[in-house]
């Protein structure tokens, strides 16, 4: 793969560091996207050499997102989604899945990566009946996220909060739990938390992450399934609880995936 992201704006280009691999771009590479640089592909290939299952895990996590959004929109009547750490656009983004079920859905994406910002135009599409918006904010600033998202979403009505594969970037576990708690506290009853992260359930994965973290990128911390489950404290987990992403209510999208991947997630209701 030799394509580079087609970014022509000088101001945006000046903010993108192409000398250090970046997780959203590497994830994009593993999923077959083209919004990545040579440094990301080199890091992604090195990671895959140690842990060949990473691409399968990436697909499983993506399909988990799709199933969770589809379930919440179709079965639980959710019409508002707050997707924090959305990453780079891919096939079937949150707004596309939700608005396919209910065109009136409102979606707010939150990220602070300059390349993701450059692709905001691709994300900022919507059905005429719905709304899609974008907030430039850091996960460590939940009050800012809630305030800015509140310009689009109605925090008096149920919202699906989505934290997909990003809490591992918060190195301190207590801080990560605090961020989740602050965000969930801002949601009204009837809202949902959708969350997954990569786990320390594979020695090869742990080794690959250690090498990745030593390469100068923003570190990613693997946690146990039990630690991930604690993010849902005080909420009612939907069946099957916190599980390998390939085992969360599998449908045809999960065909060909192993029963166990090293990305665990769940969906839970706030009463």
């Amino acid at each position: 793969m030799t394509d580079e992201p087609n970014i022509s704006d000088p101001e945006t280009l000046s903010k993108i560091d192409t000398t250090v691999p970046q997780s959203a771009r590497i994830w994009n590479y593993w999923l077959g996207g083209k919004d990545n640089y040579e440094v990301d592909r080199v890091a992604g290939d090195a990671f895959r050499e140690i842990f060949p299952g990473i691409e399968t895990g990436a697909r499983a996590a993506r399909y988990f997102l799709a199933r969770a959004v589809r379930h919440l929109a179709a079965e639980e009547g959710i019409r508002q989604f707050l997707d924090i750490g959305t990453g780079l656009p891919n096939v079937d983004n949150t707004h596309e899945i939700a608005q396919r079920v209910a065109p009136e859905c409102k979606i707010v994406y939150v990220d602070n990566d300059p390349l993701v910002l450059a692709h905001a135009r691709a994300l900022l599409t919507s059905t005429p009946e719905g709304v899609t918006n974008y907030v430039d904010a850091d996960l460590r600033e939940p009050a800012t996220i809630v305030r800015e998202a509140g310009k689009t979403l109605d925090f008096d009505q149920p919202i699906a909060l989505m934290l997909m594969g990003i809490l591992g970037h918060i190195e301190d576990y207590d801080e990560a739990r605090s961020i989740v708690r602050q965000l969930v506290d801002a949601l009204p009853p009837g809202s949902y938390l959708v969350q997954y992260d990569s786990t320390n359930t594979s020695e090869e994965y742990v080794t690959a992450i250690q090498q990745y973290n030593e390469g100068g990128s923003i570190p990613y911390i693997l946690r146990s399934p039990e630690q991930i489950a604690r993010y849902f404290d005080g909420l009612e987990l939907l069946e099957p609880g916190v599980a390998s992403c390939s085992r969360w209510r599998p449908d045809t999208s999960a065909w060909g995936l192993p029963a166990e991947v090293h990305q665990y997630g769940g969906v839970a209701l706030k009463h």
Side-chain angles (χ1 to χ4, degrees):
M1 181 181 294
T2 57
D3 290 341
E4 299 287 332
N6 183 22
I7 305 298
S8 57
D9 176 45
E11 183 179 353
T12 300
L13 284 170
S14 69
K15 296 176 182 177
I16 298 174
D17 187 350
T18 61
T19 66
V20 176
Q22 200 269 348
S23 61
R25 301 192 313 240
I26 296 173
W27 205 253
N28 175 265
Y29 173 52
W30 285 331
L31 286 170
K34 61 180 182 178
D35 295 315
N36 48 76
Y37 294 90
E38 180 66 21
V39 66
D40 307 307
R41 297 189 283 271
V42 169
D45 289 342
F47 196 108
R48 186 169 47 200
E49 284 184 17
I50 300 172
F51 181 62
I54 187 58
E55 288 183 341
T56 300
R59 290 200 310 274
R62 191 72 189 177
Y63 297 153
F64 164 67
L65 178 154
R67 294 196 302 277
V69 171
R70 195 158 49 239
H71 172 79
L72 292 178
E75 305 299 328
E76 308 296 346
I78 296 297
R79 296 295 180 262
Q80 301 188 109
F81 294 81
L82 177 55
D83 188 342
I84 303 176
T86 180
L88 290 156
N90 210 292
V91 176
D92 274 354
N93 300 290
T94 297
H95 72 281
E96 294 168 320
I97 300 164
Q99 292 181 343
R100 198 174 295 145
V101 174
E104 69 273 21
C105 283
K106 297 179 180 180
I107 295 87
V108 170
Y109 291 107
V110 181
D111 211 302
N112 68 340
D113 178 83
L115 185 58
V116 175
L117 284 171
H119 285 278
R121 190 172 301 154
L123 286 173
L124 289 174
T125 58
S126 176
T127 59
E129 302 94 332
V131 178
T132 304
N133 213 336
Y134 194 93
V135 171
D136 179 9
D138 192 291
L139 175 61
R140 292 176 175 82
E141 301 172 348
T144 299
I145 291 173
V146 170
R147 183 186 70 242
E148 294 303 310
K151 297 176 182 178
T152 301
L153 305 179
D154 180 357
F155 275 76
D156 291 325
Q157 298 297 321
I159 294 170
L161 168 65
M162 303 176 62
L163 299 169
M164 312 301 276
I166 60 165
L167 291 172
H169 287 302
I170 306 298
E171 294 186 58
D172 183 89
Y173 178 57
D174 288 338
E175 182 185 3
R177 289 187 62 203
S178 174
I179 289 169
V180 175
R181 187 165 56 249
Q182 291 176 68
L183 289 167
V184 170
D185 284 349
L187 303 177
S191 295
Y192 288 83
L193 170 63
V194 185
Q195 195 273 330
Y196 87 83
D197 262 297
S198 296
T199 59
N200 58 6
T201 46
S202 160
E203 290 185 12
E204 291 82 4
Y205 204 171
V206 171
T207 300
I209 282 287
Q210 287 173 342
Q211 177 177 291
Y212 170 80
N213 289 346
E214 291 167 1
S217 303
I218 297 173
Y220 186 92
I221 309 302
L222 297 176
R223 297 192 165 108
S224 68
E226 292 75 20
Q227 286 177 307
I228 290 175
R230 295 299 305 277
Y231 294 137
F232 296 95
D233 282 357
L235 305 175
E236 179 189 344
L237 277 162
L238 304 188
E239 291 294 333
V242 173
S244 168
C245 283
S246 57
R247 288 195 288 110
W248 195 91
R249 304 193 176 198
D251 59 14
T252 55
S253 69
W255 286 358
L257 292 174
E260 284 292 319
V261 295
H262 301 287
Q263 286 75 26
Y264 273 61
V267 179
L269 168 66
K270 177 180 179 179
H271 287 290

